[in-house]
Amino acid sequence: ALDSVAGIRAVLCLFEGVCTGAADGYGRMTGSPALTLLHLGPGFANGIANLHNARRAHTPIVNLIGDHASWHLEHDAPLTSDVESLARPVSAWVRSVEHANELAPAVAEAIAAARTPPGGVATLVARSDAQWNDAAGPRAAQAPAPAPAVPPKRIARAADLLKAPGSPALLLGGAALRGDPLRRAQRIAAGSGCRLISDTFVPRLERGAGVPPVERLPYFPEQARAFLEPVSALVVVGSRPPVSFFGYRGQPSLLAPDATESFVLAHPGEDLAGALDALAERAGSAEAAPSLAAPPQPEPPTGGLSPETLGAALAATQPEGAIVVDEAATSGLPWFLASAGSPPHDLLGLTGGAIGQGLPCATGAALACPERRVIAFQADGSGAYTLQALWTQAREGLDVTTVLCSNRSYRILQVELARAGIAEPGPVARSLTELDGPPLDWCALARGFGVPASRPANAEELATALQKSFAEPGPHLVQVDL
Amino acid sequence: ALDSVAGIRAVLCLFEGVCTGAADGYGRMTGSPALTLLHLGPGFANGIANLHNARRAHTPIVNLIGDHASWHLEHDAPLTSDVESLARPVSAWVRSVEHANELAPAVAEAIAAARTPPGGVATLVARSDAQWNDAAGPRAAQAPAPAPAVPPKRIARAADLLKAPGSPALLLGGAALRGDPLRRAQRIAAGSGCRLISDTFVPRLERGAGVPPVERLPYFPEQARAFLEPVSALVVVGSRPPVSFFGYRGQPSLLAPDATESFVLAHPGEDLAGALDALAERAGSAEAAPSLAAPPQPEPPTGGLSPETLGAALAATQPEGAIVVDEAATSGLPWFLASAGSPPHDLLGLTGGAIGQGLPCATGAALACPERRVIAFQADGSGAYTLQALWTQAREGLDVTTVLCSNRSYRILQVELARAGIAEPGPVARSLTELDGPPLDWCALARGFGVPASRPANAEELATALQKSFAEPGPHLVQVDL
């Protein structure tokens, strides 16, 4: 059918986790669902981790899982499994279709479910007889449910919180992190004096020179709590009151200190733009956007390679309109700080914590936005999860620059060991956090998948390699030894 | 704890699917469960596909999944998911532990569950507070339930079927495919005149010169039905009446023709050896093992590279005691036919059809049997799923030779398209079955993971490369362009 129905671009991935991660990147950039085509329960299972991230990002995705013929299922052939049990934890909508006549309406319903605000994962299991039997013609598209408006009582309460004495803040998520809603939030901040904060891991954040700046909540709970300490009230728009990524002994799960009131103005699926408009009327709003004194874009750095010089080199060279997929983990913070004044760009984060998202998500973002450069800012440990994405980038000629942060360790696990009081792990525990012996040769791996690669020796060479890759079409990998 | 408790070998894998596949290979070779250590729902999810294969192979495995602290779960932090819903489809036993005092007994129970015949996947979800809170000391090991004996009535019925006029056969599975039970089955065959047949995909089959030969059921249903046509009665020992891998239009699910009576003598979890002993008494058995005129081991071939010369080269050179993990898919049949007279070896098959099993399974088999050479006989499409296994092979110095069959296509999909009546697929459908553009450079990929590699140009060079790799310690990859 792909050869007879126009308007579908079929993209082959070497692993389902690449496919679902690419669908996540595509959906985050377009707001429309990509369709994944997956093979029974085990094929779907390979895509679950990145669907988990997509679920947390509220990305619209439609999964189409081909399953056995309905009459074959009872015989429990080797590939048979309980697909729905696997699908439910990551899906907002699941349905199995047995009859050909149900397939077209079910697909229309799946697309509508995926597009229903705030967006979600819709999983359709199609028995093979439902695919090969005769059926009535296609079904017209079905409109997604609209985003419900936020009740006036909540608007009033949020406005009171912003106007009360103290130091309130707006915690923004989802569609409030970009475009008009973000600018509306900025004018509310200018008018009311509140701060703008985002979650640590964002589906898609617009930032850079000239874009309203948003402070990012720190990752570790004690840092996050210290960051929120001065905040008198946290008015949440399109997110949730922030929760610690992990639960630690003797630390609470909720990050806002007791003295900080958290109030959800708009849940993710509600009309965020309308809520911000209404809030602006009640809480005050600057007439025009404040003129921003953006921090300067840094100069390309000199010296050895480190997270700091890497961050500066990337921030100094990234082109306007770049899409930065940030799975750099412990290597990423210096870039985030350095790039506040870089040309406007989008930041796509690891919303669900399921590592192995970066290279696939970058692949999908590049498919969605062929006119923009995508930067896969990638840690090595997580990059090794789904490195097969590089092949799809080569095959489709996608403009993706992978900046591979090679620190040859699961650094975050070393940090967590220390946080758990194990300052000097024994040799076995330590070895489970080390990726040396042998180190991964990322240039060889990239070339094996058809992607050219380079390995700069210092910060100057790194900046040159980045500039060269941004100027040339197609994918490139830069291995940065940290 | 891994540094203070002796007797555990900790092996790091770059992806959970490698870890679970390695546990499958280890369990198939030792009969004892390896323990996988996995990170919340998404980490477990990455391992599901190979656990699906392990479930079908009845491999003992214990999964230990670290989950959030019990009091943190309700806050639905980013990595939170319904782990049990993900675990149930591949697990014979699932339990979540909230309290530290329950953890040791639960682990003992998990190990016993994994070892209960015929073996299975046991999944234990441990909240992190159950891991860090104080608890009473360790719990003694718990004996698995014994395999139930087969009732005499079934023995009598099976004996009647073997003695009745016609051409009966024993269909062997599980533990009946090796060791004493296989030799007992051979004597029954010699005594009663029945044939010995195995499923198409076997957990572990002993074969080669001097080993009782077992015929393998063909893969495609029409071939399997033709193969079974002359069989008057199929007496099943440790398997199930055979089922078509997929359901095809107008073809039945069950492979045995109507005239062939299928009778299950012993289900997989029952006492197979005892059932064969009892059957030998009732149905007749040769006093001694028949002397076997094994087909000769082939000479190393000459000429170009093809599935036929590859199969001959491998069959001609494979060392005694080799463990062949067969995920060669459409490139594998010539080797299977050519190796009947090769030195005794074990064959490990793709029991669940979830591709991406070969390289991980070979890794685990090599960990289990350091004195034997493991041959990962691997197709390229499925090999790309979990190629990260090569790194663990390099790191642990495992004696694994990967024979990478590079036909640059999902050949089986091309076959299935043709079987579905699409003899000339359009360019889009065809492109989704082709791995060219760019072709994978498997030597570069292997070197990127620290594994030396070679790419012979013809059959002579191939045989030389194989011999060299079998003689040298450590892993090696041979890319065979077909």
Side-chain angles (χ1 to χ4, degrees), chain B residues 122-141:
Chain B
T123 300
L124 180 62
V125 186
R127 315 288 186 223
S128 43
D129 44 344
Q131 298 172 60
W132 71 49
N133 285 342
D134 290 332
R139 180 67 58 106

Side-chain angles (χ1 to χ4, degrees), chain B residues 276-359:
Chain B
L276 287 168
D277 281 345
L279 182 63
E281 269 183 40
R282 298 285 297 256
S285 166
E287 276 297 302
S291 79
L292 295 168
Q297 185 168 17
E299 291 298 309
T302 58
L305 294 171
S306 67
E308 288 70 30
T309 54
L310 165 58
L314 187 51
T317 57
Q318 63 184 76
E320 183 163 345
I323 301 165
V324 182
V325 179
D326 178 8
E327 201 182 29
T330 56
S331 303
L333 187 60
W335 167 78
F336 183 82
L337 300 174
S339 58
S342 294
H345 57 280
D346 278 320
L347 167 63
L348 277 52
L350 182 62
T351 46
I355 64 173
Q357 183 224 22
L359 302 179

Side-chain angles (χ1 to χ4, degrees), chain B residues 133-156:
Chain B
N133 285 342
D134 290 332
R139 180 67 58 106
Q142 185 177 325
V150 166
K153 254 169 74 175
R154 275 197 252 147
I155 308 282

Side-chain angles (χ1 to χ4, degrees), chain A residues 2-3 10-16 39-40 42 45-46 48-49 52 55-56 68-69 71-72 75-82 84-86 88-89 128 132-133 240 243-254 351-355 381 384-388 391 394-395 410 425-441 444-445 447-450, chain B residues 2-3 10-16 39-40 42 45-46 48-49 52 55-56 68-69 71-72 75-82 84-86 88-89 128 132-133 240 243-254 351-355 381 384-388 391 394-395 410 425-441 444-445 447-450:
Chain A
L2 290 171
D3 280 291
V11 177
L12 182 58
C13 300
L14 293 179
F15 183 68
E16 290 89 352
H39 197 232
L40 298 103
N46 285 327
I48 289 174
H52 175 89
R55 168 183 162 239
R56 293 290 181 191
H68 283 306
W71 41 264
H72 195 56
H75 297 283
D76 196 30
L79 272 167
T80 309
S81 67
D82 184 346
E84 292 199 5
S85 185
L86 296 172
R88 258 179 244 112
S128 43
W132 70 50
N133 286 342
R240 307 180 295 164
V243 168
S244 180
F245 198 83
F246 291 114
Y248 294 93
R249 297 178 87 158
Q251 296 205 36
S253 295
L254 291 172
T351 46
I355 64 173
Y385 268 55
T386 45
L387 73 165
Q388 304 94 333
W391 181 79
R395 187 181 222 219
Y410 294 120
V428 179
R430 200 169 55 238
S431 78
L432 293 180
T433 70
E434 288 172 345
L435 298 175
D436 260 325
L440 300 186
D441 180 343
L445 294 171
R447 287 183 200 120
F449 285 120
Chain B
L2 291 171
D3 281 290
V11 177
L12 182 57
C13 300
L14 292 179
F15 183 67
E16 289 89 352
H39 197 233
L40 298 103
N46 285 327
I48 289 174
H52 176 88
R55 167 182 163 240
R56 294 290 181 190
H68 284 306
W71 41 264
H72 195 56
H75 297 284
D76 196 31
L79 273 167
T80 309
S81 67
D82 184 346
E84 292 197 5
S85 185
L86 296 173
R88 257 178 246 115
S128 43
W132 71 49
N133 285 342
R240 306 181 296 165
V243 168
S244 180
F245 197 82
F246 291 114
Y248 294 94
R249 296 178 88 158
Q251 296 204 37
S253 294
L254 291 171
T351 46
I355 64 173
Y385 268 54
T386 45
L387 73 166
Q388 303 94 334
W391 181 78
R395 188 182 222 219
Y410 295 120
V428 179
R430 200 169 56 238
S431 79
L432 294 180
T433 70
E434 289 172 345
L435 297 175
D436 260 325
L440 299 185
D441 180 344
L445 294 171
R447 289 183 199 119
F449 285 120

